[in-house]
Amino acid sequence: MKKKKREKKQKIKKERKSMSNMDKFMLVFLAVLIIYLAIILPIRLCAVAFSWHWFVFGLVAVIIPFAFIHFQLCIQKKFAFTDEQKKNASVVTVKYVLYFWFLDCLYMTIFNQWKVWIYILGIITLVKIFYNLAITFLGKKQKNIILDISLVFDFLLGIGLTVYLIYLIPESLQNLQTIVTTIVAAVYGGLLTLVGVAWTIRKGDKDRNDDLKRRDEEKTEEARKQFVPYVKMAYAETVAGSVNASAHSNLQLNNLKSKNFYSFTISNFYIKNISNSNIILLGIFINDNYFEFSNDKLVEKDTACQVQTTRNWEYASEKPLKKLTLVIADVLDNQYEIDCTYTNKTEGTMEVLSNDEKEYTGFRSKYSVSSVSLPKLISKENK
């Protein structure tokens, strides 16, 4: 209980620290933005030659790093990142900041109509987009929403930029325009073909892996069914050994919601292994309380075992006996539950005084197991 409270306090401290860092980050961003506006707006209003395009260029350049860093902090706040993951996230953030600064510079060359630089930066951008689309798709193994959005953005940007660059070729160079259009169409067609082939190969690999996994699960299930631990009730004279749960109660009378409680014993009973292999007796549930047997008992095929629960001690509980369930494992370490059906014999009541001298009434009973159910799988072996 103390450990949980300590962990909760540490979590609250981390959240407060995270919020504090976020607040500081937003204050820095607002300060930088105000300084930028305080410098640029007077220049724009006083200098007619200063275009609004330059204002937007500078504003975007300021916002880009803060936007990506803010996004990274939000992701790290939502998910628990390791130090290595934080380092990788920082590297990716820097790459995206530089990439969008590069696009901002491309925007600057476009509104200034610096055609030489438009072609240089535009071609570099297209090469990067084609490379990212091909490599990312070929190496992509898991679904990633952020990466998917990035791919769509790059693809649309590449198409728009390609059309714009072809449009800038003067009509006097119509032959060059035709050649460039043909080459670009071939490149896009090849890229789409590459994507289609890669998707087909990856889909085939996924289907094959799913089929192999399904076959392995079917084989495992067939093997499990051969070793299901079936048991039945047995007689004392056929018993070869015994297990003891040493069930004990920690019932505190002062914590009872009513003035009544239940005190009972469970008679020893005998079960026989009628499955195809050995079984292991692990423990038993009495209501919601689980008690391990003092030693895991291996019961061989066609042999019986005595099960001792409360022995000669009375077990005190706030509720009467509602659940009596054996936990058994097979030789493959799969675990099963076997419910026990029982009969109840009432043995009267008793009056008990607690430490604060309050009187409680205990109903005494004796339970005897009469039959056991078929095993129910509760835990498979981890492979």
Side-chain angles (χ1 to χ4, degrees), residues 73-185:
L73 293 176
C74 290
I75 294 295
Q76 290 180 187
K77 180 183 176 182
K78 186 174 181 180
F79 303 99
F81 276 26
T82 62
D83 292 339
E84 186 66 22
Q85 288 174 327
K86 289 180 181 179
K87 183 178 178 181
N88 293 335
S90 299
V91 171
V92 172
T93 299
V94 171
K95 288 182 179 179
Y96 271 103
V97 169
L98 294 176
Y99 176 53
F100 277 83
W101 270 346
F102 181 83
L103 295 180
D104 197 26
C105 292
L106 177 61
Y107 158 76
M108 179 188 65
T109 61
I110 291 174
F111 75 72
N112 283 300
Q113 286 297 300
W114 297 339
K115 290 190 176 180
V116 174
W117 283 106
I118 289 175
Y119 279 108
I120 292 174
L121 298 183
I123 291 173
I124 293 174
T125 303
L126 287 177
V127 170
K128 180 189 179 301
I129 288 174
F130 290 149
Y131 177 80
N132 281 352
L133 289 174
I135 295 301
T136 302
F137 192 87
L138 290 174
K140 185 182 176 185
K141 295 181 179 180
Q142 297 179 349
K143 188 174 181 180
N144 188 319
I145 296 177
I146 298 175
L147 191 58
D148 291 340
I149 295 175
S150 176
L151 288 175
V152 173
F153 173 80
D154 279 353
F155 185 71
L156 296 177
L157 177 63
I159 292 177
L161 190 57
T162 301
V163 173
Y164 179 72
L165 292 177
I166 294 176
Y167 169 77
L168 288 180
I169 299 176
E171 294 182 0
S172 58
L173 300 175
Q174 188 174 4
N175 292 334
L176 176 61
Q177 192 179 58
T178 303
I179 294 172
V180 171
T181 302
T182 305
I183 293 174
V184 169

Side-chain angles (χ1 to χ4, degrees), residues 71-338:
F71 180 73
Q72 178 188 345
L73 293 176
C74 290
I75 294 295
Q76 290 180 187
K77 180 183 176 182
K78 186 174 181 180
F79 303 99
F81 276 26
T82 62
D83 292 339
E84 186 66 22
Q85 288 174 327
K86 289 180 181 179
K87 183 178 178 181
N88 293 335
S90 299
V91 171
V92 172
T93 299
V94 171
K95 288 182 179 179
Y96 271 103
V97 169
L98 294 176
Y99 176 53
F100 277 83
W101 270 346
F102 181 83
L103 295 180
D104 197 26
C105 292
L106 177 61
Y107 158 76
M108 179 188 65
T109 61
I110 291 174
F111 75 72
N112 283 300
Q113 286 297 300
W114 297 339
K115 290 190 176 180
V116 174
W117 283 106
I118 289 175
Y119 279 108
I120 292 174
L121 298 183
I123 291 173
I124 293 174
T125 303
L126 287 177
V127 170
K128 180 189 179 301
I129 288 174
F130 290 149
Y131 177 80
N132 281 352
L133 289 174
I135 295 301
T136 302
F137 192 87
L138 290 174
K140 185 182 176 185
K141 295 181 179 180
Q142 297 179 349
K143 188 174 181 180
N144 188 319
I145 296 177
I146 298 175
L147 191 58
D148 291 340
I149 295 175
S150 176
L151 288 175
V152 173
F153 173 80
D154 279 353
F155 185 71
L156 296 177
L157 177 63
I159 292 177
L161 190 57
T162 301
V163 173
Y164 179 72
L165 292 177
I166 294 176
Y167 169 77
L168 288 180
I169 299 176
E171 294 182 0
S172 58
L173 300 175
Q174 188 174 4
N175 292 334
L176 176 61
Q177 192 179 58
T178 303
I179 294 172
V180 171
T181 302
T182 305
I183 293 174
V184 169
V187 170
Y188 273 104
L191 179 62
L192 293 176
T193 303
L194 176 64
V195 168
V197 172
W199 181 84
T200 303
I201 294 174
R202 194 169 63 208
K203 182 67 168 56
D205 290 341
K206 182 179 181 299
D207 291 342
R208 185 171 60 254
N209 291 333
D210 290 344
D211 186 57
L212 290 174
K213 183 179 179 181
R214 179 182 58 80
R215 291 181 181 180
D216 289 341
E217 288 177 351
E218 288 178 354
K219 290 180 180 178
T220 303
E221 184 65 14
E222 288 298 323
R224 184 190 69 80
K225 289 180 179 178
Q226 295 178 9
F227 300 102
V228 176
Y230 296 105
V231 298
K232 70 174 185 178
M233 297 297 293
Y235 298 100
E237 59 267 18
T238 64
V239 172
S242 65
V243 289
N244 180 19
S246 298
H248 56 280
S249 173
N250 294 320
L251 181 66
Q252 299 292 329
L253 295 178
N254 296 333
N255 296 331
L256 291 177
K257 297 179 181 179
S258 67
K259 294 296 182 68
N260 300 328
F261 68 96
Y262 299 85
S263 180
F264 54 82
T265 59
I266 302 172
S267 300
N268 300 336
F269 59 98
Y270 311 91
I271 57 173
K272 183 178 180 180
N273 177 14
I274 58 173
S275 59
N276 295 325
S277 63
N278 300 338
I279 64 173
I280 303 172
L281 303 182
L282 300 177
I284 190 167
F285 277 101
I286 299 179
N287 289 336
D288 296 328
N289 297 319
Y290 178 71
F291 300 96
E292 292 184 355
F293 292 128
S294 54
N295 57 313
D296 293 347
K297 176 63 178 178
L298 178 69
V299 182
E300 297 180 355
K301 179 182 177 182
D302 295 328
T303 59
C305 178
Q306 182 188 54
V307 179
Q308 301 175 350
T309 52
T310 58
R311 302 187 75 174
N312 295 323
W313 297 95
E314 291 194 359
Y315 183 89
S317 174
E318 188 175 358
K319 301 177 182 178
L321 184 62
K322 297 292 185 182
K323 176 182 178 182
L324 186 64
T325 304
L326 287 169
V327 179
I328 299 179
D330 61 17
V331 292
L332 299 178
D333 204 25
N334 300 307
Q335 294 185 10
Y336 299 79
E337 283 187 349
I338 296 179

Side-chain angles (χ1 to χ4, degrees), residues 13-113:
K13 286 182 180 179
K14 287 182 180 179
E15 290 178 353
R16 289 178 178 174
K17 184 178 180 181
S18 176
M19 289 297 296
S20 178
N21 292 337
M22 189 70 72
D23 293 340
K24 291 178 181 178
F25 174 82
M26 293 304 298
L27 288 175
V28 172
F29 168 68
L30 291 175
V32 173
L33 185 62
I34 291 172
I35 293 172
Y36 173 79
L37 294 176
I39 295 174
I40 295 300
L41 285 178
I43 296 176
R44 171 64 188 90
L45 296 175
C46 298
V48 180
F50 190 82
S51 170
W52 281 109
H53 294 298
W54 284 103
F55 173 79
V56 174
F57 165 75
L59 183 63
V60 171
V62 170
I63 291 176
I64 285 173
F66 286 99
F68 282 104
I69 294 173
H70 180 264
F71 180 73
Q72 178 188 345
L73 293 176
C74 290
I75 294 295
Q76 290 180 187
K77 180 183 176 182
K78 186 174 181 180
F79 303 99
F81 276 26
T82 62
D83 292 339
E84 186 66 22
Q85 288 174 327
K86 289 180 181 179
K87 183 178 178 181
N88 293 335
S90 299
V91 171
V92 172
T93 299
V94 171
K95 288 182 179 179
Y96 271 103
V97 169
L98 294 176
Y99 176 53
F100 277 83
W101 270 346
F102 181 83
L103 295 180
D104 197 26
C105 292
L106 177 61
Y107 158 76
M108 179 188 65
T109 61
I110 291 174
F111 75 72
N112 283 300
Q113 286 297 300

